[in-house]
Amino acid sequence: MAQLVVLYKTPTDVAAFDAYYASTHIPLAKKVPGVRKYEISQGTIASPAPTGVHLVATLTFDSLAAIQAGLGSAEGQAAAADVANFATGGADMLMFDSKEV
């Protein structure tokens, strides 16, 4: 399996971010080919030190190649382009193969 993790930094308007993310971005991102599972954090992002992270999205794919293919599709490009419409605090994206241990 492989993971695409997006760390959304605290936006300028949290309520607007949350509403837009739920109503617009999630439906777009769920259309990306190859997505097997889509999870988001709920509540506060806890850490020993302040993170500045408002929300974590974790999308599971079959492989890193599947992530890359999904992001390269028209649906992946639309989801990526949409981030600028709501992520006013910025976002970091991490992609990696994973294994269960």
Side-chain angles (χ1 to χ4, degrees):
M1 300 304 284
Q3 309 298 320
L4 167 60
V5 177
V6 184
L7 306 173
Y8 291 100
K9 306 297 174 78
T10 304
T12 53
D13 184 338
V14 170
F17 174 101
D18 290 344
Y20 188 95
Y21 190 83
S23 68
T24 304
H25 192 70
I26 289 174
L28 279 175
K30 282 187 167 185
K31 292 179 183 176
V32 174
V35 173
R36 299 287 177 227
K37 186 175 176 183
Y38 188 152
E39 297 179 310
I40 62 170
S41 59
Q42 182 174 329
T44 302
I45 307 299
S47 173
T51 66
V53 175
H54 172 66
L55 184 130
V56 178
T58 306
L59 289 78
T60 302
F61 292 77
D62 288 335
S63 65
L64 188 55
I67 293 174
Q68 294 165 335
L71 293 179
S73 70
E75 296 88 349
Q77 294 296 308
D82 186 52
V83 172
N85 294 326
F86 67 94
T88 56
D92 294 326
M93 187 182 326
L94 309 169
M95 296 174 270
F96 50 90
D97 280 317
S98 60
K99 66 179 181 178
E100 191 170 332
V101 295

